[in-house]
Amino acid sequence: DAKTTQPPSMDCAEGRAANLPCNHSTISGNEYVYWYRQIHSQGPQYIIHGLKNNETNEMASLIITEDRKSSTLILPHATLRDTAVYYCIVRDLNNNAGNMLTFGGGTRLMVKP
Amino acid sequence: DVKVTQSSRYLVKRTGEKVFLECVQDMDHENMFWYRQDPGLGLRLIYFSYDVKMKEKGDIPEGYSVSREKKERFSLILESASTNQTSMYLCASRNAPARIEQFFGPGTRLTVL
């Protein structure tokens, strides 16, 4: 699986957009990009995933560059409750290993009032 | 909403004890997973089960076993707990094969003295 690189921490003002970058320069054609987050003392929570096209759901937007070597998770109006560690993961879901998740260090997002 | 519950949030055990961690999901999911999460090491897969009575080793199965007698329940067993098994244990479930996201329980923080 492709390795991902994320900044260890970011701050964001409440009500502003939080833009979390992820580099995955070795991504292959079958690999999806997906994002989880983990709020303190809770289990990880799925946010969004994508392959090539930008995606949006009720939680966030995912912008994937045309070469697919990087992506950005956007929380359009960050709230204090969005303070969490955000994990960017790249997996090929067409093989058996796609059932598993392995998280790296992630980005610790601190939303400040 | 999918609910994944774990039997304990906090557990303290002594070296050599046999430890049972229980996980129950209420959405008839086929796949269930046990991970441990340690600072600086991210999330690591211990075992997973893709159906009742079926199990597969993950990345770090040594010192652990699992049991899946019923679809909704996946148990992680530490046969003889050791101090290096002090960790946060996370259970997850997924409805194979259509969905990508895994749903996590709140975690059990196990301390082995």
Side-chain angles (χ1 to χ4, degrees), chain A residues 94-110:
Chain A
N94 293 322
N95 64 38
N96 289 336
N99 285 323
M100 312 174 201
L101 291 177
T102 302
F103 292 179
T107 296
R108 184 172 296 277
L109 176 67
M110 177 72 73

Side-chain angles (χ1 to χ4, degrees), chain B residues 42-106:
Chain B
L43 205 66
R44 294 181 292 168
L45 182 68
I46 305 172
Y47 267 96
F48 69 99
S49 168
Y50 51 88
D51 206 344
V52 177
K53 296 190 185 295
M54 310 300 281
K55 59 187 179 184
E56 292 287 343
K57 293 180 180 179
D59 299 321
I60 51 164
E62 296 77 21
Y64 303 93
S65 61
V66 290
S67 172
R68 185 124 181 250
E69 295 297 318
K70 294 184 178 180
K71 194 172 188 179
E72 67 271 17
R73 188 179 297 269
F74 192 34
S75 304
L76 180 69
I77 303 153
L78 286 65
E79 296 291 342
S80 178
S82 63
T83 55
N84 62 12
Q85 293 178 309
T86 291
S87 185
M88 169 68 84
Y89 289 88
L90 289 158
C91 174
S93 72
R94 186 183 88 130
N95 192 19
R99 301 301 296 272
I100 292 174
E101 65 268 32
Q102 296 185 14
F103 295 88
F104 284 83

Side-chain angles (χ1 to χ4, degrees), chain B residues 14-25:
Chain B
R14 296 203 177 274
T15 301
E17 281 192 76
K18 191 169 186 176
V19 182
F20 292 87
L21 302 181
E22 303 285 341
C23 175
V24 178
Q25 49 93 3

Side-chain angles (χ1 to χ4, degrees), chain A residues 50-101:
Chain A
L51 183 63
K52 297 180 185 177
N53 300 322
N54 298 337
E55 302 287 344
T56 296
N57 64 20
E58 65 278 3
M59 288 183 69
S61 295
L62 175 61
I63 309 297
I64 302 174
T65 57
E66 195 166 337
D67 63 8
R68 303 210 321 124
K69 292 185 177 182
S70 65
S71 60
T72 302
L73 179 75
I74 301 172
L75 308 178
H77 305 286
T79 69
L80 299 180
R81 293 183 181 186
D82 292 321
T83 293
V85 179
Y86 287 77
Y87 297 99
C88 169
I89 304 155
V90 178
R91 294 305 297 227
D92 181 355
L93 296 169
N94 293 322
N95 64 38
N96 289 336
N99 285 323
M100 312 174 201
L101 291 177

